[in-house]
Amino acid sequence: MADIKSGVNLLFLREEELRQGIELLYFAYRDFTAEPDAILGDYGFGRAHHRVIYFVGRSPGITVSELLATLRITKQSLSRVLGQLVQEGFIVQTPGSRDRRQRLLELAPKGVELERMLTEKQRARFARAYREAGAEAVEGFRKVMLGLIDDADRRRFPARGADQRKRGEG
Amino acid sequence: MADIKSGVNLLFLREEELRQGIELLYFAYRDFTAEPDAILGDYGFGRAHHRVIYFVGRSPGITVSELLATLRITKQSLSRVLGQLVQEGFIVQTPGSRDRRQRLLELAPKGVELERMLTEKQRARFARAYREAGAEAVEGFRKVMLGLIDDADRRRFPARGADQRKRGEG
DNA sequence: ATTTTATGTCAGCCATGTTGACTTATATGC
DNA sequence: GCATATAAGTCAACATGGCTGACATAAAAT
């Protein structure tokens, strides 16, 4: 244990710690997407469809532009999957009332059901992980994850304020 | 604040909390892969090449089978990218001495350099996030992430034991 | 000697990203 | 009102990286 505080060893631990973070993120994301992917296959859909369904379900009335900005893909890529989802009755488009060029997107009942099925798996995964880790760990998780995300997207996640549950209040 | 403890509202907060987790993971992974992807483009490589280079660099002498198990892809998929990396001198293969059917993989100097360039971006991202969040948050992050990962892969992450630095020891 | 295992290969398919060029409808600014 | 900008969509072509299926080779294991 003598050399554990040597510069070299501290550097090694740091490197090891960072690599572990990288791998945790890789494996977590891989496993996190696996279950929905399997369900999507039954519908002839892929992961891209899930993302669209998810964010439309999350923000009913979202415009195509907003969706593009969220997903950071081209409109041609989005068009392919969105077109299918509209065609097959999972998503409905209605012209914007203020700006009639816009197509406001929302889930049709069929889409709501599929969204629930898909996201349920991921929600369950998080529920288990959160429960096992405890509230304090969840707070740390949030902090680190926010730090990993590009500044431009952090605003999507409101800071834990007075109107939200905090440690010890529940 | 009166209804904040009502069943309905607790359910809402829980749902919101879980969705936030889902989105944190989605955005973090998306941003985490963006920088290396840009560099890979300059080499005519893709994200799949990065994964191979990463895990070979991480475990020099790893066999093709082990790599397949880690990545959870088919050997045909791996073959495509691994073949290129060997062809272009980023990875070298040497027959296993105990089992000569195996091809033990390790990075050539060129591969080491590329690996460093790619992973450096991700390491820096984690270093910043960890530093900003603090040691306690990092511990929580680890706990939650481990909980998200399939049981089969958790063994890749040794529990923080006596031979590793713990809070307050450093 | 047979069977199993580790690896590689050929061929083709699918999903999902990209660029580039162009259209249409509507909103906005002068 | 007219010119321009914006929201959305479309067609075409291409790249990446998954997949299945079938088959080949060499070495290990039984």
Side-chain angles (χ1 to χ4, degrees):
Chain A
M1 294 288 280
D3 71 337
I4 207 163
K5 293 194 175 165
S6 77
V8 173
N9 212 305
L10 279 180
L11 214 60
F12 170 73
L13 284 175
R14 179 180 165 77
E15 160 87 14
E16 188 62 24
E17 196 176 23
L18 296 176
R19 283 202 178 255
Q20 205 161 89
I22 289 172
E23 288 159 37
L24 283 166
L25 186 53
Y26 169 68
F27 288 114
Y29 190 78
R30 193 197 58 182
D31 294 345
F32 165 76
T33 50
E35 283 175 312
D37 282 358
I39 297 172
L40 287 157
D42 300 341
Y43 289 78
F45 291 153
R47 195 175 296 178
H49 298 84
H50 186 190
R51 293 203 270 257
V52 170
I53 287 181
Y54 179 86
F55 284 110
V56 170
R58 176 66 151 159
S59 306
I62 189 174
T63 66
V64 172
S65 298
E66 288 165 349
L67 194 49
L68 285 174
T70 298
L71 299 173
R72 288 210 200 142
I73 59 175
T74 60
K75 63 179 172 179
Q76 294 93 326
S77 288
L78 174 59
S79 170
R80 205 156 31 199
V81 297
L82 180 55
Q84 283 177 275
L85 290 167
V86 170
Q87 190 87 24
E88 301 184 27
F90 290 87
I91 287 182
V92 292
Q93 298 170 310
T94 58
S97 55
R98 204 185 65 247
D99 184 339
R100 283 176 10 223
R101 291 171 303 181
Q102 298 177 332
R103 307 290 173 90
L104 308 186
L105 308 172
E106 55 186 328
L107 296 181
K110 221 172 143 185
V112 172
E113 196 195 355
L114 180 54
E115 197 280 336
R116 197 192 46 71
M117 281 178 56
L118 295 170
T119 304
E120 170 55 28
K121 297 288 184 183
Q122 300 187 324
R123 236 192 329 252
R125 189 175 284 264
F126 266 96
R128 184 170 56 79
Y130 277 7
R131 179 165 32 79
E132 286 172 6
E136 195 179 340
V138 170
E139 207 49 48
F141 168 79
R142 272 181 50 88
K143 262 193 208 165
V144 171
M145 290 298 269
L146 265 176
L148 291 173
I149 293 173
D150 283 354
D151 202 63
D153 283 308
R154 284 193 206 152
R155 65 200 62 198
R156 294 177 186 278
F157 301 92
R160 303 283 251 201
D163 59 334
Q164 302 217 22
R165 194 168 42 153
K166 285 166 65 183
R167 274 205 311 271
E169 281 185 23
Chain B
M1 295 286 283
D3 71 338
I4 207 161
K5 293 193 175 169
S6 77
V8 172
N9 211 305
L10 278 180
L11 214 60
F12 170 73
L13 284 175
R14 178 180 165 77
E15 161 87 12
E16 187 61 24
E17 195 176 24
L18 296 176
R19 284 202 178 256
Q20 206 161 88
I22 288 173
E23 288 159 37
L24 282 166
L25 186 51
Y26 168 68
F27 288 113
Y29 190 77
R30 193 197 60 180
D31 293 346
F32 166 76
T33 49
E35 284 175 312
D37 282 0
I39 297 172
L40 287 157
D42 299 340
Y43 289 78
F45 292 153
R47 197 177 293 180
H49 298 85
H50 186 189
R51 293 204 269 257
V52 171
I53 286 181
Y54 179 86
F55 284 110
V56 169
R58 175 67 150 160
S59 307
I62 190 174
T63 67
V64 171
S65 298
E66 288 164 350
L67 194 49
L68 285 174
T70 298
L71 299 174
R72 287 210 200 143
I73 60 175
T74 60
K75 64 179 172 177
Q76 294 94 325
S77 290
L78 174 58
S79 170
R80 205 158 28 198
V81 296
L82 180 55
Q84 283 177 275
L85 290 168
V86 170
Q87 190 86 27
E88 302 184 27
F90 290 86
I91 288 183
V92 291
Q93 297 171 310
T94 58
S97 55
R98 204 185 67 248
D99 183 338
R100 279 173 17 216
R101 291 172 304 182
Q102 298 177 330
R103 306 288 173 90
L104 309 186
L105 307 173
E106 55 186 327
L107 295 181
K110 221 171 142 185
V112 171
E113 196 195 354
L114 179 54
E115 197 281 335
R116 195 191 49 69
M117 280 177 56
L118 295 170
T119 304
E120 170 56 27
K121 297 287 183 184
Q122 300 187 323
R123 235 190 332 250
R125 189 175 284 264
F126 266 96
R128 184 170 55 80
Y130 278 7
R131 179 164 33 80
E132 285 172 6
E136 196 179 338
V138 170
E139 206 50 47
F141 168 79
R142 272 181 50 89
K143 262 193 208 166
V144 172
M145 290 298 269
L146 265 176
L148 291 173
I149 293 173
D150 283 353
D151 202 63
D153 283 309
R154 284 193 206 152
R155 66 200 61 200
R156 293 177 187 276
F157 301 93
R160 303 282 252 201
D163 58 334
Q164 302 215 22
R165 194 169 40 155
K166 285 166 64 182
R167 275 205 310 273
E169 281 186 23

